[in-house]
Amino acid sequence: MSSQIFHVTATFEAPVYATERTERVIEAIDTLAPEATVETQSGDERAPGTVVARTHSLERLSERFHEQAILDSARTTMLDGLTPETNTVTFRLKKQAAYADVVNFAVGDPDELGDITVTITVSEGDPAAYVRQLAPPTEDGVPVDDE
């Protein structure tokens, strides 16, 4: 694999509804990005609060892709969310699964309690190459160098 250098900022954003505890939503994000800086915004009965976490490392998320053997589906999902004009990759994850330290991509309509929206902005390097670094191609389930 190439030794390309990337500079990324990843933002994890999740709603916090009145029936949820903010701490649990923070813990859900923390399982995937333990080094993230977290901010919270309070909500009320009409609108959810929000947890926003930012990090420059997605090492733990990549580890989960490897451990769960979901590299190909993770890469495909992230590349589907790639917007080349803005060098961003956007995808959604299930909050409840993240709380259990499991990566489960959200598809279709958001979950009743909302999903975690992840936006990765690559300010240095090729976003598609960064995605391939997080979730490399596999052959018979084993990561391979795609260079």
Side-chain angles (χ1 to χ4, degrees):
M1 175 94 33
S2 78
S3 60
Q4 184 173 353
I5 295 178
F6 300 97
H7 184 269
V8 302
T9 301
T11 303
F12 292 72
E13 187 170 343
V16 180
Y17 289 90
T19 57
E20 295 181 290
R21 291 184 28 220
T22 301
E23 301 80 33
R24 293 191 105 182
V25 176
I26 292 170
E27 287 177 40
I29 293 171
D30 189 58
T31 66
L32 305 174
E35 61 288 315
T37 302
V38 177
E39 300 172 14
T40 60
Q41 176 185 8
S42 297
D44 58 33
E45 62 278 351
R46 295 173 308 229
T50 307
V51 171
V52 178
R54 289 183 181 79
T55 184
H56 298 290
S57 171
L58 290 173
E59 186 174 324
R60 178 65 181 140
L61 185 61
S62 181
E63 287 172 0
R64 296 305 298 139
F65 295 158
H66 284 78
E67 291 167 5
Q68 290 179 226
I70 59 169
L71 293 170
D72 294 323
S73 61
R75 187 180 59 265
T76 298
T77 300
M78 288 188 291
L79 290 174
D80 284 348
L82 173 62
T83 305
E85 301 80 21
T86 59
N87 289 336
T88 59
V89 175
T90 304
F91 55 92
R92 293 179 300 123
L93 301 171
K94 297 286 187 182
K95 261 197 279 188
Q96 288 181 315
Y99 185 75
D101 200 16
V102 173
V103 174
N104 188 351
F105 289 95
V107 294
D109 293 333
D111 191 69
E112 182 179 312
L113 292 177
D115 299 318
I116 300 169
T117 300
V118 181
T119 304
I120 304 167
T121 303
V122 182
S123 56
E124 184 176 325
D126 174 41
Y130 183 69
V131 166
R132 287 190 300 275
Q133 180 177 300
L134 289 177
T138 66
E139 188 171 295
D140 297 324
V142 178
V144 296
D145 185 356
D146 71 330
E147 298 291 320

